[in-house]
Amino acid sequence: MAVASAASGSTFCKQLLFSLLVLILLCDGCQKISLQVPSHLQAETLVGKVNLKECLQPASLILSSDPDFRILEDGSIYTTHDLILSSERKSFSILLSDSQRQEEKEIEIVLEARGKKVPRKRHAKDAVLKRSKRRWAPIPCSLMENSLGPFPQHVQQVQSDAAQNYTIFYSISGPGVDKEPFNLFFINKDSGDIFCTRSIDREQYDQFPLYAYATTADGYAPEYPLPLLFKVEDDNDNAPYFESKVTIFTVPENCRSGTSVGKVSAIDLDEPDTLHTRLKYKILQQIPDHPKHFSVHPDTGVITTTSPLLDRENCDTYKLIMEVRDMGGQPFGLFNTGTITISLEDENDNAPYFTETSYFAEVEENRIDVEILRMAVHDKDLPNTPHSKAMYTILQGNENGNFKISTDPNTNEAVLCVVKSLNYEAHRQIVLQIGVVNEAQFSKAPNSQTPTMCTTTVTVKIKDSDEGPECQPPVKVIQSKDGLPAGKELLGYKALDPETRSGEGLRYKKLGDEDNWFEINEITGDLKTVKVLDRESKFVKNNQYNISVVATDADGRSCTGTLVVVLEDNNDHPPEIENEVTICQHVQDFAVLKPVDQDGPENGPPFEFFLDNSASKLWTIIAKDGKTATLHARQNLDYDFYNVPIIIKDRHGLSAKHMLSVRVCDCTTPSDCRMTIKERESNVKLPQVILGRWAILAMVLGSALLLCILFTCFCVTVKATTKKCFPDDVAQQNLIVSNTEGPGEEVMDANIRLPTQTSNICDTSLSAGTLGGQGVKTQQSFEMVKGGYTLESNKGGGHRTLESVKGAGQGVTDMGRYVYTDWHRFTQPRLGEKVYLCGQDEEHKLSQDCVRAYNYEGKGSVAGSVGCCSEGHEEEGLEFLDHLEPKFRTLAKTCIKK
C-alpha cells in the first residue's frame, strides 16, 4: 500500500467540516449510490446515509462487504479507522437479509475522492524543484476474529518515501510482537508486508496498537515511528448465558394480574451494541404448566403475572424454563437456557374452623385451675405463622368468669380451664359458645366473600361432691350501739352446709378480735360482749370493728367469714381543748382555741364557748365559725401565767368545763417564750423588778467611773514610791527607737511610752513608728542637742551630718539646737537603708551597725558624748533600764550593747 502524505492543518479542518456537512442521500430501491468524500477520512467519520427500508424491510441482518466501513440500522455509514483513498473511486456493498422470508438484497456504494489530482510527469525543468518532506501516514487495517487462515495471513504493508533514495529496512513492535501475545505478527523487513501467524479471539484482544519503523542499513531513521492499529472484528462466537445459575423470586398469592415478579438478566461476551449481543428472552415451559400464570418481556427480561388466581394452598412453587438468544432472537442466533423458581407468599385467605361442631366435658364442683377440654382447629394457611395461629374466645356462657380458654403454642389447640369454682347446687351444667380467628387480619381472595367467625358449643357437666361448710356471704355486717356494756349478746356469723342447706353440726371459733371485745358461742356462733364497746377506740376504723370467725363441720372441713360490727355514735364525749396557750402580747394579743370532739360529726360542732364569771373581768371570748374561738385580754396584762375557766358545748349541749392556762409573754412567736411554771412560782414569792434601758446604762457608767478612780489612785501610789531614774539635767533626754534590734527579736509596730513623773523628768511622749519611720508622732517642740555624730553612707562613702541635712537658712541664730523634723529627715533614709542591708545579710554582721538612742548632756555641748551610740564603753546614766516595766524590756535590750 502506498504511503500517503500527512494532512496539513487546513486540510484537516476541511475534512472536519465535511464530516459535519455529510450529504444524506435517499435512494429508491436497491440502486447504486455514489458519495463524494475527501481522499483522507478519519476513523468514525460519517460518510453518508442510505435508506435501507426502501430496499428491504424488515432487514434482520445488515453487513458491509468492506471492513473499512460499518453500517448502522438507520443506514448511516461510518469509517472504522483512518482511511486514505489511493484511487479516485472506491466501492463496496451493503448486504441485507431477512431470515424469516429467506430474502437477501445488496446495495452498491461508490465513493469518489473529491479534489483528487492525477500526478503529472516530472520534467527536466522541474529538477530545481524539491519535494517537501512528508511523514509516512498510518495505514488502517482490521482483522477478523477466529479467522481460518491460511497462516501466515497477510495483514497489511507499510512503505516509506525514503525507500526511493535509501535502502530501507522495516520493523514493528508492540502487543502481538514483542509483548503479550508474543509472535502473533511479523513484518518482512525488505517489503514492509505484515503477516498474522494464528487466529485471534476478540474477547481476549480486541485491538493491537503497533509501531512500524523505517531505518537504513546504518541505523538512520528517515521517518518517525508509524502508529498502526489492528482492530479485531467481532465474530458471534459466544452464546449468552444467565447471570445466576439459580434464580428465585417471590410473589404474594392472590396478587393482581400484571404484578412484577422479577427481572432476569443474561451476559454475552461478544462486542456490545451489535447484533451479536442483542438478546431476546422467552419462557419455554412452566411447571406445573396449567394454567399459565407468567409471562416475560422479550427485551427487558421482566417477568409478570398474567392471572389473579395464584393460590398457595393449591401450588406454592412454580418453575420456569427460560431461553435467552442473541442476534435479536433469530433462529441462527446462539442461545442458552436457565431455570427460574417462583415461590408464592402466604396470605391469610383461609379462615380456621373446628374439626367438630360440638364438644362435651365434665368437672367436679369446687375444682379450680384444672384443664377440662382440648379442641383442635384446621387452617389451610402456612403453619406456624400468624396466618394460621388461632385465637379463641368464649362468646357466651362465661358471665361469672368461671372458665378461661387459651391457645397451646405447640399444637395450636384450644385449652379450656376452670379458674373459678363451680357449684353443683347452683348449676348442674353450663353451655359455652367458643369462636376462633387467626392472629393476622383476614385477607380475602379475589371474587370471594369475607368469612364469618367459626364457632362451636361446649357443654360442661358439673359433678356433685361432698363439700365442707360454706360461709356466704364472706362478710356480714351487724349494728350495735356505742357504749354497749359488757354481757350483752349480738347476732353472730352463720355458716351453712351446702348439702343440707342448714347450720346444724357446725362449730364456731373466733380467729381475730383485736381488743378482745367479744366471746363466741361455739354452737350458735352468737357474740357476747366482755367489754364496753367504745367507738372512739383506736381499734375502730370508720366506726367499724372486725371479727374473724371460722366454722368447722364434723369432718374437720371449715370456712372462714368476717363479722363487721358497725358502732352507732353516742354523744358521750364533750369537746376538749389544749391545757395551755401562749399570747405574745406585743405581736398578737389573742389566743386561738380549737376544740376537738371525739364523737362523730353529728355529735360534734358547732361549738358554744362561755367564760366563767371570775374570768370575764380580764378576758373575752369570741366564737368564729362554730369550730374555733379567740381569747382576748381586756387590757395589757403583766407577763405571767393566768388560769382561765372556759365552758364548751357541742351541738346537743354536752359540755365540759376546762381550766385553760394562759401564758402572757414578751415574745415574737409562742416558741420564743421561755417562761416556765417555776418562774411563775418565783414571781409569786418575790416582787417583780424590771430594769429599763437607761437604768442599765447608768449602772454601766457608774461602774466604769469607779474603776477609773481606783486605777488613778493606784498609779499615783506607784509613782511616789518609784526611785528616780533620770538625772536632773536630762529633762530633754529622749530615746529614738530603731526598728532593727540587732540579731535578736524584731519589734514591729511597738507603741512605747515613758512614764511621766512630777519631778524634773521631761514631760514629753515618744512614739516608735513602723519600719522606715512611717507613722512616728511627737510634739513639734521636741529638740535634740547638736553633736558631732556623723553617719557614714554605705553608698557614697562620705560623711553626712545634721548640719548638712538642715537647710542653709535654718538654725542660723541657734547653732546648738535641732528640731525633730531635722532629725527625722536625717534618720529616716539611713534607718531604712540599714534595715534593708541587715535583712540581706544572713550572718547578721551589719546588725551591730545600727542607730541607737543617745543621752542628752546639756546645752551648748559642741562635741559631747552620744551615749550608747558612741564608741566608748561607758554606760553611765542607764540604771533606770533595770527598773522598767515589762513592756519596756524590749526597748531596754536595744540600748544595751551585747
Side-chain angles (χ1 to χ4, degrees):
M1 186 170 63
V3 177
S5 62
S8 63
S10 59
T11 304
F12 175 75
C13 293
K14 292 179 181 179
Q15 292 177 356
L16 180 61
L17 180 62
F18 172 79
S19 64
L20 298 176
L21 301 175
V22 175
L23 178 62
I24 301 176
L25 299 178
L26 301 178
C27 62
D28 296 331
C30 301
Q31 297 180 358
K32 181 173 68 172
I33 298 175
S34 298
L35 299 175
Q36 296 287 334
V37 296
S39 59
H40 183 197
L41 297 175
Q42 294 184 350
E44 299 298 329
T45 301
L46 178 62
V47 178
K49 185 176 182 180
V50 297
N51 193 344
L52 302 180
K53 295 181 179 179
E54 295 294 335
C55 181
L56 180 62
Q57 185 181 7
S60 59
L61 181 61
I62 304 173
L63 295 176
S64 173
S65 62
D66 191 338
D68 294 339
F69 303 93
R70 61 185 180 91
I71 316 298
L72 302 184
E73 292 182 353
D74 60 352
S76 299
I77 304 173
Y78 285 88
T79 59
T80 58
H81 49 79
D82 290 350
L83 182 63
I84 298 177
L85 299 181
S86 58
S87 59
E88 295 183 0
R89 298 171 62 90
K90 181 177 180 64
S91 63
F92 63 94
S93 299
I94 299 176
L95 303 178
L96 305 175
S97 67
D98 186 0
S99 58
Q100 294 182 354
R101 296 182 297 179
Q102 300 295 324
E103 185 178 359
E104 294 184 357
K105 295 289 185 177
E106 181 178 352
I107 302 176
E108 184 179 358
I109 304 297
V110 178
L111 301 180
E112 296 180 357
R114 185 170 52 191
K116 185 74 174 182
K117 297 182 178 180
V118 178
R120 57 188 180 91
K121 294 181 179 180
R122 182 179 177 184
H123 300 282
K125 65 180 180 180
D126 298 330
V128 296
L129 297 178
K130 295 182 179 180
R131 189 176 64 178
S132 61
K133 180 68 176 181
R134 294 181 301 171
R135 182 183 179 188
W136 53 329
I139 304 174
C141 181
S142 63
L143 302 173
M144 192 64 189
E145 179 186 16
N146 301 324
S147 175
L148 299 179
F151 298 101
Q153 183 179 13
H154 183 267
V155 177
Q156 194 56 272
Q157 183 183 18
V158 293
Q159 288 183 346
S160 174
D161 290 344
Q164 299 176 4
N165 302 321
Y166 305 98
T167 300
I168 298 298
F169 298 99
Y170 300 96
S171 61
I172 57 176
S173 67
V177 182
D178 52 0
K179 296 181 181 179
E180 287 286 347
F182 295 102
N183 302 322
L184 180 61
F185 301 100
F186 69 90
I187 188 171
N188 190 317
K189 66 176 183 177
D190 297 323
S191 63
D193 292 317
I194 302 174
F195 297 89
C196 178
T197 61
R198 57 184 182 272
S199 61
I200 304 172
D201 185 5
R202 192 205 65 84
E203 286 70 40
Q204 188 175 6
Y205 303 100
D206 58 347
Q207 63 183 9
F208 294 92
L210 304 179
Y211 281 92
Y213 306 92
T215 57
T216 60
D218 56 357
Y220 171 70
E223 303 282 1
Y224 291 107
L226 176 67
L228 300 175
L229 180 64
F230 293 166
K231 185 176 180 181
V232 181
E233 298 293 336
D234 183 44
D235 182 25
N236 191 21
D237 58 343
N238 291 278
Y241 60 91
F242 289 99
E243 287 188 75
S244 301
K245 295 182 179 179
V246 179
T247 304
I248 300 177
F249 296 120
T250 58
V251 64
E253 65 173 330
N254 303 320
C255 63
R256 291 182 295 181
S257 179
T259 301
S260 177
V261 178
K263 179 180 179 181
V264 294
S265 59
I267 299 175
D268 195 326
L269 298 178
D270 290 324
E271 187 175 4
D273 301 326
T274 64
L275 198 60
H276 298 163
T277 55
R278 186 181 298 173
L279 307 180
K280 295 290 184 180
Y281 301 93
K282 182 171 61 174
I283 297 177
L284 300 179
Q285 183 182 3
Q286 173 186 299
I287 303 173
D289 59 350
H290 187 75
K292 301 294 184 182
H293 292 298
F294 305 98
S295 64
V296 64
H297 193 280
D299 296 325
T300 62
V302 176
I303 301 174
T304 56
T305 59
T306 59
S307 171
L309 302 178
L310 290 172
D311 189 0
R312 191 202 66 83
E313 287 71 34
N314 293 332
C315 180
D316 60 352
T317 303
Y318 291 89
K319 290 186 178 182
L320 302 179
I321 307 301
M322 297 191 63
E323 177 192 85
V324 57
R325 186 183 295 264
D326 61 10
M327 299 300 293
Q330 299 299 326
F332 53 83
L334 304 179
F335 67 92
N336 237 321
T337 60
T339 302
I340 309 299
T341 302
I342 301 176
S343 298
L344 300 185
E345 295 179 349
D346 183 44
E347 294 289 330
N348 189 22
D349 57 344
N350 294 278
Y353 57 90
F354 290 98
T355 56
E356 299 181 16
T357 56
S358 62
Y359 296 87
F360 179 81
E362 290 183 342
V363 63
E364 292 183 357
E365 63 175 336
N366 300 322
R367 295 286 303 277
I368 60 174
D369 296 331
V370 58
E371 178 183 323
I372 62 173
L373 182 65
R374 282 180 172 261
M375 295 169 286
V377 295
H378 185 70
D379 196 325
K380 295 181 180 179
D381 291 321
L382 190 64
N384 299 322
T385 64
H387 300 157
S388 62
K389 289 184 178 180
M391 296 173 57
Y392 301 93
T393 306
I394 301 176
L395 302 177
Q396 294 180 1
N398 193 31
E399 288 76 11
N400 295 328
N402 299 100
F403 301 94
K404 183 185 74 172
I405 193 167
S406 59
T407 304
D408 189 331
N410 298 322
T411 62
N412 207 31
E413 293 178 327
V415 181
L416 183 64
C417 300
V418 177
V419 294
K420 187 177 178 181
S421 61
L422 298 169
N423 192 352
Y424 173 80
E425 289 73 23
H427 301 282
R428 302 297 175 90
Q429 71 175 18
I430 298 177
V431 178
L432 303 176
Q433 185 181 15
I434 299 175
V436 60
V437 293
N438 291 126
E439 291 183 0
Q441 187 177 2
F442 185 79
S443 175
K444 68 175 184 177
N447 303 324
S448 64
Q449 297 180 354
T450 302
T452 58
M453 179 185 292
C454 180
T455 60
T456 188
T457 58
V458 178
T459 302
V460 181
K461 182 179 179 181
I462 302 172
K463 299 167 64 176
D464 187 22
S465 62
D466 188 10
E467 304 175 85
E470 186 178 84
C471 294
Q472 291 295 336
V475 179
K476 183 178 180 180
V477 181
I478 61 174
Q479 299 287 336
S480 177
K481 292 183 178 181
D482 183 19
L484 186 68
K488 298 295 183 178
E489 291 188 357
L490 296 176
L491 184 63
Y493 192 89
K494 303 296 182 182
L496 297 176
D497 188 343
E499 306 296 334
T500 62
R501 308 305 298 173
S502 67
E504 295 182 0
L506 299 180
R507 295 293 180 266
Y508 297 92
K509 185 178 179 181
K510 186 175 62 171
L511 287 181
D513 184 2
E514 290 183 293
D515 202 20
N516 197 23
W517 282 6
F518 301 95
E519 63 181 15
I520 191 169
N521 190 314
E522 184 180 3
I523 298 176
T524 63
D526 293 334
L527 300 177
K528 185 177 181 180
T529 61
V530 295
K531 291 183 179 180
V532 177
L533 304 187
D534 185 8
R535 191 192 69 86
E536 288 74 25
S537 172
K538 64 179 181 179
F539 301 102
V540 177
K541 308 296 183 184
N542 298 326
N543 301 333
Q544 297 178 356
Y545 185 80
N546 298 332
I547 306 157
S548 299
V549 178
V550 60
T552 309
D553 61 6
D555 295 330
R557 292 169 296 187
S558 63
C559 69
T560 303
T562 301
L563 189 63
V564 178
V565 181
V566 178
L567 298 176
E568 298 177 358
D569 185 29
N570 186 20
N571 192 14
D572 55 350
H573 292 83
E576 298 178 355
I577 59 174
E578 296 181 356
N579 295 330
E580 182 180 316
V581 294
T582 301
I583 296 178
C584 294
Q585 188 162 328
H586 295 288
V587 178
Q588 180 177 306
D589 60 348
F590 62 89
V592 179
L593 307 181
K594 298 180 180 179
V596 177
D597 196 332
Q598 296 183 7
D599 294 325
E602 64 277 2
N603 295 320
F607 302 116
E608 296 181 23
F609 301 87
F610 304 95
L611 288 174
D612 190 79
N613 293 333
S614 61
S616 59
K617 296 180 181 180
L618 298 178
W619 306 92
T620 59
I621 192 167
I622 302 174
K624 291 297 183 181
D625 52 1
K627 295 182 180 181
T628 61
T630 56
L631 181 65
H632 297 261
R634 293 183 180 273
Q635 59 187 1
N636 289 336
L637 301 177
D638 295 337
Y639 299 141
D640 200 355
F641 282 85
Y642 299 88
N643 292 327
V644 182
I646 298 177
I647 301 173
I648 305 175
K649 294 182 180 180
D650 61 13
R651 65 167 59 192
H652 296 297
L654 182 62
S655 64
K657 185 176 182 179
H658 304 277
M659 186 59 68
L660 180 64
S661 178
V662 181
R663 182 173 57 171
V664 179
C665 189
D666 183 12
C667 57
T668 304
T669 59
S671 60
D672 294 338
C673 185
R674 303 305 179 189
M675 188 182 298
T676 61
I677 298 297
K678 293 182 179 180
E679 292 179 0
R680 180 189 178 187
E681 294 175 355
S682 63
N683 292 339
V684 173
K685 294 178 182 180
L686 298 176
Q688 184 177 6
V689 178
I690 301 176
L691 295 178
R693 298 187 182 93
W694 295 108
I696 296 174
L697 180 61
M699 294 176 63
V700 172
L701 294 177
S703 301
L705 181 60
L706 180 60
L707 292 175
C708 291
I709 295 173
L710 294 176
F711 181 75
T712 303
C713 295
F714 175 77
C715 292
V716 171
T717 304
V718 171
K719 291 181 179 181
T721 58
T722 302
K723 183 179 179 181
K724 188 177 181 180
C725 298
F726 295 95
D728 294 336
D729 60 345
V730 292
Q732 299 298 325
Q733 181 177 352
N734 291 278
L735 295 178
I736 305 301
V737 180
S738 172
N739 285 337
T740 302
E741 301 180 5
E745 183 181 5
E746 181 176 289
V747 179
M748 299 297 294
D749 296 336
N751 188 7
I752 304 175
R753 293 180 179 273
L754 294 177
T756 304
Q757 296 181 358
T758 59
S759 59
N760 295 329
I761 301 175
C762 180
D763 186 15
T764 303
S765 62
L766 175 65
S767 297
T770 57
L771 186 66
Q774 296 294 330
V776 178
K777 297 181 180 179
T778 185
Q779 296 179 3
Q780 293 298 325
S781 60
F782 176 82
E783 297 180 353
M784 293 299 299
V785 176
K786 178 181 178 183
Y789 175 77
T790 61
L791 289 177
E792 181 177 335
S793 174
N794 290 329
K795 293 183 179 179
H799 296 275
R800 296 186 63 189
T801 66
L802 286 173
E803 295 158 335
S804 65
V805 175
K806 187 175 180 180
Q810 297 178 0
V812 178
T813 59
D814 190 359
M815 298 298 295
R817 293 182 179 270
Y818 291 95
V819 296
Y820 171 77
T821 54
D822 297 334
W823 171 259
H824 188 282
R825 285 195 298 268
F826 177 78
T827 58
Q828 181 177 2
R830 304 276 64 79
L831 289 176
E833 182 179 352
K834 292 295 183 178
V835 170
Y836 174 78
L837 294 176
C838 288
Q840 298 297 321
D841 185 12
E842 296 182 355
E843 298 181 358
H844 304 284
K845 294 180 179 180
L846 297 176
S847 61
Q848 300 297 329
D849 185 11
C850 58
V851 178
R852 300 178 183 272
Y854 65 93
N855 293 332
Y856 177 74
E857 298 182 349
K859 299 181 180 180
S861 176
V862 180
S865 173
V866 293
C868 62
C869 293
S870 81
E871 297 297 329
H873 298 283
E874 62 276 9
E875 296 182 357
E876 292 81 7
L878 298 180
E879 297 84 4
F880 69 94
L881 296 176
D882 297 331
H883 306 284
L884 294 177
E885 293 179 1
K887 61 182 180 179
F888 293 101
R889 292 176 182 174
T890 303
L891 179 61
K893 292 179 181 180
T894 62
C895 297
I896 297 176
K897 186 175 181 180
K898 297 180 181 179

